[in-house]
């Protein structure tokens, strides 16, 4: 038997039939088909409210739409947040449908000239990833006759301790090395660009509040040092994000109240050069992961050499992360449940496998579940972030999943 991660509290408290946003999961599958991603907008709104309650007033919240760019979800999230962060022209177009360009920032290496031009034309802020990109953005602005809004993304000389994905403290395709950042700031200001500040993103999926706070304090100090060096006050310091969610057994939720209290203290003590700056935190998964459930019907239950396999009509082509093949070193089980039997006692050990013809397609490895039969629905939790759009949907030619917001 291998443990599963914790079922998010809203669902863990349920007994009998799983409901999402008050709707019966099995009925949702009957109505919309299987497999099906369901996102509960009220749970996202509750996370936003939790953020606002915990963070010091005046710290903006940006949603990194790479976590889940479904238009129907963006429509619900956009009014709740101060900004949207995008990572491509495709995401930019989705963001512009729900927010003005001035509330959008564009980060990511390898922005093509046409992407830079689209962002400048939209009035979005470009988080510059290199000195070369700075020059191409300035040239694009000149071609368009528009003053570009440019921020300098810094590759910090610090990392987010304990994060699942470190994005600082080393050589990196992301951002301009801290030791060269001030020179690029001076260059874009001298060229007449609208310099918007710094973007400093040190890592992702951190559950340790002390580590997040330590990184935020170090990020503030770095921004102050670079501002002094550049001789310019940054209008905005994007402090990154990195708030994680508990996916696996033993994970505990991030203590955001503690992060907020420490940030309040750090901001109060910030250097004078940042006195008039605004601050933002940029979050993806923390806002949306727990709000999503991947529902998939059982196609077969088979025995093989003493093991039971529950074969579902979904798989890693929709929810790669739950198979352990998206950014994890050791495969561990996401939380899952039999939708009609929430809270029932497990009656044995099964492996839940997808319909792809590869041994990688295992969404639950030797987990304890209540009895489940063909035609019934398995729920895989924490499917709101990096699910449908972060999975190889075209692999083996199965249909795309349906996605709904309730
Ligand atoms: C620049 C940037 N912003 C935001 C995110 C979102 O991270 P998460 O979903 O872990 O909050 C990432 C993740 O890779 C990122 O690289």
């Amino acid at each position: 038997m291998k443990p599963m991660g914790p079922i998010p509290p809203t669902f863990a408290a349920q007994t009998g039939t799983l409901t999402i946003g008050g709707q019966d999961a099995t009925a949702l599958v009957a109505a919309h088909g299987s497999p099906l991603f369901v996102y509960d907008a009220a749970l996202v709104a509750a996370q936003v409210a939790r953020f606002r309650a915990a963070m010091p007033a005046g710290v903006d919240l940006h949603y990194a739409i790479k976590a889940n760019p479904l238009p129907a979800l963006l429509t619900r999230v956009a009014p709740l947040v101060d900004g949207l962060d995008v990572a491509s022209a495709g995401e930019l177009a989705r963001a512009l449908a729900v927010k003005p360009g001035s509330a959008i920032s564009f980060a990511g290496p390898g922005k093509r000239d046409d992407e830079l031009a689209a962002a400048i034309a939209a009035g979005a802020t470009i988080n510059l990833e290199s000195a070369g990109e700075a020059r191409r953005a300035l040239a694009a602005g000149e071609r368009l006759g528009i003053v570009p809004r440019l921020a300098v993304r810094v590759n910090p000389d610090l990392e987010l301790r304990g994060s699942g994905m470190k994005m600082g403290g080393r050589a990196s395709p992301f951002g301009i090395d801290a030791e060269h950042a001030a020179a690029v700031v001076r260059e874009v200001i001298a060229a007449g660009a609208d310099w918007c500040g710094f973007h400093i993103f040190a890592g992702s999926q951190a559950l340790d509040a002390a580590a997040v706070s330590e990184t935020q304090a170090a990020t503030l100090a770095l921004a102050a040092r670079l501002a002094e060096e550049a001789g310019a006050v940054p209008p905005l310091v994007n402090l990154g994000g990195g708030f994680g969610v508990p996916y696996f057994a033993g994970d505990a939720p991030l203590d955001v109240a503690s992060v907020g209290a420490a940030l309040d203290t750090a901001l109060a003590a910030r250097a004078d050069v940042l006195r008039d700056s605004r601050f933002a935190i940029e979050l993806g998964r923390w806002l949306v992961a727990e709000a999503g459930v991947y529902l998939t019907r059982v196609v077969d239950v088979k025995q093989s050499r003493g093991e039971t396999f529950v074969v579902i009509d979904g798989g890693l082509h929709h929810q790669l992360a739950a198979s352990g093949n998206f950014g994890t070193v050791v495969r561990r089980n996401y939380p899952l449940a039999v939708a009609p039997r929430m809270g029932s006692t497990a009656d044995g050990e099964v492996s839940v496998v997808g319909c792809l013809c590869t041994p990688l397609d295992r969404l639950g490895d030797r987990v304890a579940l209540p009895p489940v039969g063909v035609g019934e629905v398995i729920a895989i939790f924490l499917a709101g972030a990096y699910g449908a759009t972060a999975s190889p949907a075209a692999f083996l030619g199965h249909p795309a999943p349906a996605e709904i917001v309730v």
Side-chain angles (χ1 to χ4, degrees):
M1 196 88 70
K2 295 186 181 170
M4 290 187 285
I7 294 176
T10 318
F11 305 115
Q14 297 184 9
T15 53
T17 298
L18 172 68
T19 60
I20 308 166
Q23 301 195 44
D24 180 325
T26 302
L28 286 172
V29 165
H32 299 276
S34 177
L36 174 69
F37 281 93
V38 185
Y39 310 115
D40 182 343
L43 292 182
V44 180
Q47 281 299 80
V48 173
R50 205 166 288 144
F51 177 92
R52 301 285 189 201
M55 293 301 137
V59 172
D60 288 351
L61 173 60
H62 291 188
Y63 173 49
I65 80 167
K66 57 164 68 79
N68 191 329
L70 185 74
L73 187 69
L74 288 183
T75 306
R76 307 290 283 269
V77 178
L80 307 176
V81 299
D82 306 295
L84 298 176
D85 183 63
V86 304
S88 69
E91 286 196 351
L92 174 66
R94 288 192 180 197
L96 282 170
V98 292
K99 270 276 195 231
S102 56
I104 298 171
S105 52
F106 183 1
K111 300 181 196 76
R112 298 186 311 263
D113 285 353
D114 60 316
E115 294 185 299
L116 295 171
I120 292 166
T125 299
I126 296 169
N127 291 321
L128 298 169
E129 307 280 348
S130 73
E133 188 174 279
R135 284 176 207 128
R136 288 194 297 116
L138 290 168
E142 222 155 83
R143 276 197 301 278
L144 290 166
I146 301 173
V147 174
R149 291 163 54 82
L150 305 179
V152 167
R153 179 170 180 185
V154 181
N155 173 27
D157 36 17
L158 55 101
E159 66 177 27
L160 175 48
R161 195 164 47 80
S163 62
M165 188 167 60
K166 294 185 172 52
M167 298 181 79
R170 54 189 69 191
S172 169
F174 311 111
I176 296 166
D177 291 349
E179 49 280 28
H180 303 301
V184 178
V185 171
R186 284 195 296 267
E187 188 180 325
V188 299
I189 291 174
D194 179 5
W195 179 55
C196 298
F198 292 116
H199 178 244
I200 307 177
F201 194 92
S204 199
Q205 180 51 19
L207 293 171
D208 178 350
V212 172
S213 297
E214 194 181 282
T215 300
Q216 288 181 338
T219 301
L220 272 174
L222 174 60
R225 195 181 88 215
L226 296 176
E228 295 282 7
E229 218 182 301
V233 172
L236 176 73
V237 178
N238 181 324
L239 296 166
F243 292 17
V245 292
Y247 287 110
F248 305 118
D251 285 354
L254 176 70
D255 180 352
V256 279
S258 153
V259 172
L263 183 57
D264 198 24
T265 307
L267 283 175
R270 69 188 184 272
D272 277 348
V273 69
L274 301 183
R275 213 32 73 191
D276 296 327
S277 301
R278 283 188 7 261
F279 298 91
I281 292 181
E282 177 177 306
L283 302 178
R285 74 185 76 218
W286 189 85
L287 290 174
V288 293
E290 294 191 348
V293 186
Y294 179 55
L295 299 173
T296 161
R297 258 200 196 113
V298 176
V299 177
D300 195 10
V301 179
K302 64 174 275 191
Q303 310 292 325
S304 171
R305 301 204 167 118
E307 282 191 43
T308 303
F309 292 90
V310 173
V311 188
I312 52 177
D313 62 5
L316 71 75
H317 54 314
H318 301 156
Q319 185 46 336
L320 182 66
S323 75
N325 292 291
F326 186 69
T328 42
V329 180
V330 179
R331 194 211 169 284
R332 288 172 290 170
N333 288 315
Y334 268 43
L336 31 90
V338 178
R341 277 184 278 288
M342 295 297 292
S344 295
T345 329
D347 80 332
E349 176 187 299
V350 300
S351 286
V352 177
V353 298
C355 58
L356 300 190
C357 195
T358 161
L360 297 178
D361 197 6
R362 186 174 285 242
L363 301 188
D365 186 31
R366 300 182 175 207
V367 290
L369 285 183
V372 59
V374 169
E376 292 190 308
V377 172
I378 296 272
I380 299 167
F381 298 98
L382 294 160
Y386 306 109
T389 59
S391 304
F395 185 45
L396 300 192
H398 290 282
E403 293 181 89
I404 59 166
V405 178
V406 293

